[in-house]
Structures are given as structure tokens and as C-alpha cells.
Amino acid sequence: SAYAAACLSRGVGVVLGPVLDVYDPTSAFPAFYERSFGTDQAAVSSLGLAMSDGMKDGGVLPVAKYFPGYGAATYGSDGLSLAINKDLRELARVLLPFKDAIQRQVPGIVVGHVALPQIDRDAPNRPASLSPFIMRQLLRQQWDYRGGIIVDDIAEAPMTLGRPIDELAVEALIAGADAIILLDPNPNRINAVAEAIAAAVAEGRINGDDLKKSVERLDEWQRMLTVPIATPATVIAEAQSP
């Protein structure tokens, strides 16, 4: 597709998109009205997967976001925590586009900082991004998802503020994530996260076999990128050419 071609020409091979959140007017994030494909789960699934398929056909890897959905999340009583407080029937409607994406074998999914109290009943306030039940039991086992699971930004998200990001990174990997988004330009904090992960592996808190599987899933992304991607130097040279 034209979108994929534009990405590849700029050296982008993996896109964090499409957004598969089903928008709810009660959402804590009204901006998702414009970011989402709509309020109807079937339309969101159809349009989102069409975009995903187009990217894959064009040689770009789509990473669907943001499971289980900021577009339907509301704030807790603390004004920071997020949850989808819906009954199971409504929750199934919200999750449908993500389940369809998994059945379509989308290469990756971004898991957000949203709790699912109706599903993760032993820890109803725990965000999906830190929940082994959500990532391992629901996504991996029940839905048989074999692609990469990426946790949304742990540096600035409301549900993670106030906690050390190195601890959050380790907790997310233990819970079942393959990788973590960290929007923090400070090299010291980035190094602290890397060191915490290495220490957790050495201590056995992060399972070595799980880590190996995560590396294999991310390596598979590299193998899937069969279309040549422009290097940054190429992009700069083309931009400077008359």
C-alpha cells in the first residue's frame, strides 16, 4: 500500500498501529474519538485489519494497539488508574478487534496500562501490561497468540507514575511481555532499566527460556522484513538532493 511504501522509503519497517480500540463516549480519553475507527466493534475490526493487511502486503509489520483499549477505559477513584469496567458481554465487544487481529496473525500487539477487573479477578486493579494472567493465560494460551507482545510506554503513563521504571520493566517481562516501550531520553535511566533486566535474569526472576522465546519472536520480525528498508543516510541524502 501507499502507506507502507511511504514508511519503507523513510526507513520504517515496524509501525505501532493500527489502533484497534473501540471508542466509548465515556472514555477517559476523548481524543480516541479521532484515533479510533469508531464505536462499532465490527467496523473497527474490518477497517483496522484492512489497514494491517495493507501494511503487511507492502512489507511493513503492523503492531496493533492498545490492547485491551484506552478508547473504552475510564479512570478509577484515584484519578490515575484505568480500567474497562464493563460486563463480560460488553467487554467481549471491546476486545473483538484484537481477537480478530490475533486470528489474522498480526505480528505484534501493544498491551496498555488498563485493568480488566472482570477477567483478572484475583488482581482487579492490575493493568494488563503487568498481568501474567492477561498476557500469558488470555493472550498466549486461550487465544493462542504467537506474535510479539509489547508493553506501552512505562515512563510517562498515569498508571505507572511514582514507581521506578526499572522495576516496572522487570515486572512487565516477568508477566509475559517480549519488549517494553520506554519514552525516556535520559541515558542513565535507560541504562538502569537494562541493568535491572540483566540482574533479574541472573537472579532467575526472569525465566531464561521465556527470554529466549521473546528473542525468537522479535528475531522473526527481522525475517519478515523482506522488503529493503531505506537507511537513515539514504533518507537524508534524498531529502537534500535538488
Side-chain angles (χ1 to χ4, degrees):
S1 68
Y3 187 92
C7 289
L8 294 175
S9 70
R10 292 162 173 79
V12 177
V14 177
V15 174
L16 299 182
V19 172
L20 296 183
D21 295 43
V22 176
Y23 180 70
D24 188 306
T26 65
S27 172
F29 300 94
F32 270 81
Y33 175 77
E34 296 179 353
R35 299 185 65 185
S36 169
F37 283 106
T39 59
D40 179 78
Q41 72 275 15
V44 172
S45 179
S46 178
L47 294 171
L49 295 186
M51 182 177 180
S52 175
D53 290 345
M55 285 194 284
K56 284 196 295 183
D57 291 344
V60 170
L61 301 186
V63 181
K65 61 184 185 183
Y66 298 86
F67 179 88
Y70 291 117
T74 54
Y75 284 118
S77 57
D78 58 5
L80 292 175
S81 61
L82 296 166
I84 299 180
N85 290 300
K86 297 182 179 298
D87 60 31
L88 290 176
R89 181 176 179 179
E90 279 296 300
L91 188 56
R93 184 182 70 83
V94 170
L95 299 183
L96 175 67
F98 295 100
K99 190 169 185 179
D100 288 347
I102 286 175
Q103 292 177 342
R104 195 74 66 89
Q105 299 180 342
V106 66
I109 287 180
V110 175
V111 174
H113 308 299
V114 180
L116 290 173
Q118 289 289 349
I119 295 180
D120 198 0
R121 296 190 175 184
D122 290 337
N125 297 319
R126 177 171 58 187
S129 55
L130 301 177
S131 171
F133 185 87
I134 297 299
M135 289 192 277
R136 295 185 183 277
Q137 181 69 29
L138 178 63
L139 293 181
R140 291 293 185 207
Q141 295 185 27
Q142 294 185 27
W143 289 8
D144 194 29
Y145 183 53
R146 302 181 184 183
I149 294 177
I150 314 299
V151 162
D152 197 15
D153 177 34
I154 62 172
E156 295 294 339
M159 283 192 79
T160 58
L161 290 177
R163 294 190 56 191
I165 57 175
D166 53 341
E167 292 181 9
L168 290 167
V170 169
E171 189 174 342
L173 293 175
I174 292 173
D178 296 310
I180 302 144
I181 298 173
L182 177 60
L183 299 180
D184 192 329
N186 187 314
N188 294 328
R189 286 194 286 267
I190 294 172
N191 289 334
V193 169
E195 291 170 1
I197 292 172
V201 172
E203 295 164 2
R205 289 191 293 144
I206 295 179
N207 183 278
D209 290 338
D210 288 345
L211 189 63
K212 182 179 178 181
K213 291 177 182 177
S214 292
V215 171
E216 290 173 350
R217 292 186 190 103
L218 298 177
D219 283 346
E220 179 62 21
W221 285 12
Q222 295 285 352
R223 288 188 286 271
M224 293 173 70
L225 291 171
T226 56
V227 178
I229 299 174
T231 64
T234 302
V235 175
I236 293 172
E238 290 177 350
Q240 293 176 341
S241 63

